[in-house]
């Protein structure tokens, strides 16, 4: 999904250089993320993983620092339920993505487009 983060998220994201200036109402660039969970899904957040409805998400550990060595603000560990009208987002490169693991759910009204891959790369050698 392409999402325009708003309010405090846009402000902190822009200040830290995560969100360049762009066309969103917050004057930042939209983020491109996968939807990890939707309304009524159950999220379990731990230091080393995120689980959705009891299934651990691959490569979902939450580093404590960003690539610049700055501490990352994180929502509390534990159990969360996604509220109606919200989604949880996960970056396509989770090891270095600033996403819902840190800032929690975002309103579905912030979603501006559905993104579909044109090409995918499995990492396997062609035969």
């Amino acid at each position: 999904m392409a999402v325009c983060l708003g309010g405090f998220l846009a402000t902190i994201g822009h200040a830290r250089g995560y969100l360049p200036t762009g066309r969103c109402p917050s004057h930042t660039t939209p983020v491109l993320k996968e939807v990890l969970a939707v309304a009524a899904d159950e999220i379990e957040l731990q230091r080393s993983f995120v689980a959705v409805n009891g299934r651990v998400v691959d490569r979902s550990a939450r580093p404590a620092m960003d690539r610049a060595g700055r501490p990352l603000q994180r929502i509390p560990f534990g159990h969360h339920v996604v509220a109606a009208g919200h989604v949880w987002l996960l970056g396509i490169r989770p090891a270095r993505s600033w996403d819902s693991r840190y800032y929690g759910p975002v309103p579905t009204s912030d979603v501006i487009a559905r993104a579909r891959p044109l090409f995918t790369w499995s990492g396997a050698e062609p035969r």
Side-chain angles (χ1 to χ4, degrees):
M1 294 288 174
V3 179
C4 282
L5 298 175
F8 178 73
L9 292 179
T11 301
I12 192 79
H14 187 68
R16 285 191 160 211
Y18 306 154
L19 302 174
T21 301
R23 65 180 178 91
C24 288
S26 61
H27 304 290
T28 60
T29 300
V31 296
L32 187 61
K33 308 285 185 193
E34 292 183 51
V35 174
L36 183 63
V38 297
D41 282 342
E42 296 184 11
I43 304 290
E44 181 67 30
L45 292 174
Q46 296 300 326
R47 183 175 316 280
S48 60
F49 70 88
V50 175
V52 178
N53 298 326
R55 295 187 66 196
V56 174
V57 177
D58 288 339
R59 302 180 326 269
S60 61
R62 296 190 305 167
M65 304 285 201
D66 68 10
R67 287 184 287 174
R70 297 171 295 198
L72 285 163
Q73 193 95 12
R74 296 181 288 185
I75 60 172
F77 294 124
H79 183 262
H80 303 267
V81 177
V82 182
H86 289 79
V87 293
W88 277 61
L89 305 173
L90 182 66
I92 55 177
R93 292 190 180 128
R96 58 181 218 194
S97 181
W98 187 59
D99 51 38
S100 289
R101 295 173 297 165
Y102 301 98
Y103 51 71
V106 297
T108 55
S109 59
D110 288 354
V111 174
I112 60 169
R114 183 175 180 183
R116 294 181 188 211
L118 295 175
F119 299 98
T120 60
W121 180 259
S122 68
E125 291 293 321
R127 294 182 183 231

